[in-house]
Amino acid sequence: MIGWSNVTASGQQELGLKPEEVQKSKCVLGFIPVIYYSILLCVGVPVNILTAVALSRLACRTKKALYYYLLAVTGSDILSQLFIIFVGFLLETAVFHRDVPSLLLHSVSAAEFAANHASIWATVPLTVDRYVALCHPLLHRQISYPARARRIIAAVLALSLVSGVPFFWWSDMWRNSHPPTALDAVLIWTHVTIIYFLPCSIFLVLNSLIIHTLRARRRPCQEERGSKAAPPRRLGKTTAMLLAITSVFSVLWAPRTAVVIYHLYVSSVHRDWRVHLAYDLSNMLAMLNTAVNFFLYCFVSKPFRGAVRDVVLLRGGPLHPRRTLPQQQAPNNASISSLYSGNHKRSQRDSTPMSPRRARKPS
């Protein structure tokens, strides 16, 4: 990432390589990645903290599982920014030049992958929840509630932590001069499957089913209205937000996935400066995904914008659902009790004695 050697002195001694035998790819970006990651960290962490506070208010106020899933995505993004950007890129690489104990390097690598997996896979329950809500609404009312959402999120985080353990043996692509080994190939394919191919396949299938269901529901309405039908309705805001989140992730993480596979089979990052450049740029794009969700939420969701406004202006918004007053409940119950109210009024009119003005005097 920085313009120093890709192989440390200790690494050269362990491999038995002489300085003239080591072929090193040059980093043409220089200190640009350090500046980029510093700006991304200074902007992304405060923005994600603000997002977490706003979503926690909405979750407490509405008791919807949707906001718990979004809160899990935001928390995982914060962990990714702290472990990958701050510890991995800035501290270890830019400050200490990877001159730290090997055990610490590998432990931080496992933590980085665990945070990365959590950030990506926290979106999968959100996608499943939206699919059930739109395609099976009756089932969604039965199975989607905050307690179950919290259990699912806890399971995803635990599995993400476990999935990061094998990457304790992940090799440093920037500094390892030897070709990828069989273990490197297994770890690389496991990595790209976990972070890209498997979640993107789930997103593609479920989002396609959601869009197909919405189009199928729209056709009968247009046929009933005839040729002078109104313009088709737009997607719901929650569905649009889901499609935006998954689409942005698929676009930003695709270059890194391609470069990692290219490094494995064609040319390594250590030997080819063009692969080195592509790897640096793809990492920068992938990490951008940890800071863009706030702007997507603000663009799509009006309740989220209101919650953010309350947090910024230090307004103590209600943390629990408001209790409706009896006067507010009457209009909601009017349609349900219309038959009863009509019969009740009729019975009152029949049983009420006649007023003196209308009563006839006996002759």
Side-chain angles (χ1 to χ4, degrees):
M1 188 173 66
I2 316 302
W4 46 72
S5 172
N6 283 342
V7 179
T8 59
S10 60
Q12 294 179 18
Q13 294 176 0
E14 293 175 0
L15 296 173
L17 298 175
K18 298 179 181 180
E20 62 269 16
E21 295 175 348
V22 179
Q23 299 179 6
K24 299 170 292 187
S25 61
K26 296 181 180 180
C27 180
V28 298
L29 293 179
F31 283 90
I32 293 178
V34 177
I35 299 173
Y36 171 82
Y37 287 124
S38 300
I39 296 174
L40 186 62
L41 190 69
C42 293
V43 174
V45 172
V47 160
N48 280 329
I49 292 176
L50 177 60
T51 304
V53 175
L55 289 175
S56 63
R57 288 195 173 195
L58 290 173
C60 294
R61 186 184 306 168
T62 62
K63 302 298 181 182
K64 290 183 178 180
L66 167 68
Y67 294 113
Y68 288 92
Y69 292 128
L70 293 177
L71 190 59
V73 174
T74 305
S76 302
D77 286 342
I78 294 175
L79 292 178
S80 297
Q81 290 173 340
L82 294 179
F83 281 106
I84 300 177
I85 298 178
F86 180 67
V87 178
F89 286 118
L90 295 180
L91 284 184
E92 287 185 350
T93 304
V95 176
F96 296 107
H97 299 185
R98 312 285 290 188
D99 189 14
V100 295
S102 177
L103 179 62
L104 180 60
L105 281 177
H106 291 289
S107 300
V108 171
S109 177
E112 291 175 357
F113 280 96
N116 187 15
H117 297 169
S119 176
I120 294 170
W121 278 89
T123 313
V124 174
L126 171 65
T127 308
V128 175
D129 180 79
R130 289 297 89 198
Y131 163 74
V132 177
L134 292 172
C135 300
H136 307 280
L138 297 180
L139 179 62
H140 182 263
R141 295 178 184 178
Q142 299 176 2
I143 67 174
S144 180
Y145 48 89
R148 173 167 289 182
R150 288 192 292 265
R151 289 197 295 268
I152 293 175
I153 291 168
V156 169
L157 295 180
L159 292 175
S160 300
L161 181 62
V162 173
S163 68
V165 174
F167 296 93
F168 178 88
W169 292 273
W170 179 267
S171 62
D172 191 345
M173 293 184 182
W174 281 301
R175 290 163 179 79
N176 284 344
S177 57
H178 59 76
T181 62
L183 177 61
D184 294 334
V186 172
L187 290 177
I188 286 175
W189 275 109
T190 303
H191 173 59
V192 297
T193 301
I194 291 176
I195 62 106
Y196 194 78
F197 291 126
L198 188 56
C200 282
S201 300
I202 297 174
F203 297 154
L204 178 62
V205 171
L206 294 183
N207 289 339
S208 300
L209 291 175
I210 290 173
I211 295 175
H212 175 73
T213 302
L214 293 178
R215 288 181 177 177
R217 291 177 181 175
R218 191 181 303 166
R219 289 171 187 167
C221 297
Q222 293 179 351
E223 292 176 358
E224 291 178 359
R225 294 179 182 178
S227 58
K228 297 181 179 180
R233 296 186 303 172
R234 296 175 296 177
L235 289 175
K237 292 184 178 181
T238 304
T239 306
M241 182 170 59
L242 172 65
L243 295 178
I245 293 173
T246 54
S247 300
V248 169
F249 162 76
S250 301
V251 171
L252 293 181
W253 275 91
R256 186 183 186 279
T257 304
V259 171
V260 169
I261 297 175
Y262 188 89
H263 159 83
L264 178 61
Y265 291 107
V266 182
S267 181
S268 66
V269 174
H270 177 82
R271 295 181 181 274
D272 192 341
W273 68 269
R274 290 164 295 189
V275 183
H276 193 158
L277 174 62
Y279 191 58
D280 286 342
L281 294 176
S282 63
N283 280 328
M284 294 165 67
L285 280 178
M287 288 299 100
L288 182 63
N289 185 64
T290 62
V292 299
N293 287 341
F294 169 82
F295 304 99
L296 295 177
Y297 301 160
C298 287
F299 181 75
V300 174
S301 176
K302 184 177 180 180
F304 179 78
R305 291 195 298 269
V308 170
R309 189 183 305 112
D310 292 340
V311 174
V312 172
L313 298 179
L314 301 178
R315 295 176 182 173
L319 296 181
H320 301 283
R322 297 179 180 178
R323 294 183 178 180
T324 56
L325 298 176
Q327 292 82 358
Q328 296 176 347
Q329 293 179 354
N332 296 330
N333 298 331
S335 59
I336 302 175
S337 60
S338 58
L339 180 60
Y340 168 76
S341 60
N343 296 335
H344 184 63
K345 291 178 180 179
R346 190 178 300 110
S347 62
Q348 283 185 341
R349 186 167 58 249
D350 295 338
S351 60
T352 303
M354 300 180 64
S355 60
R357 295 182 180 178
R358 297 176 61 183
R360 296 181 180 179
K361 295 181 181 181
S363 55

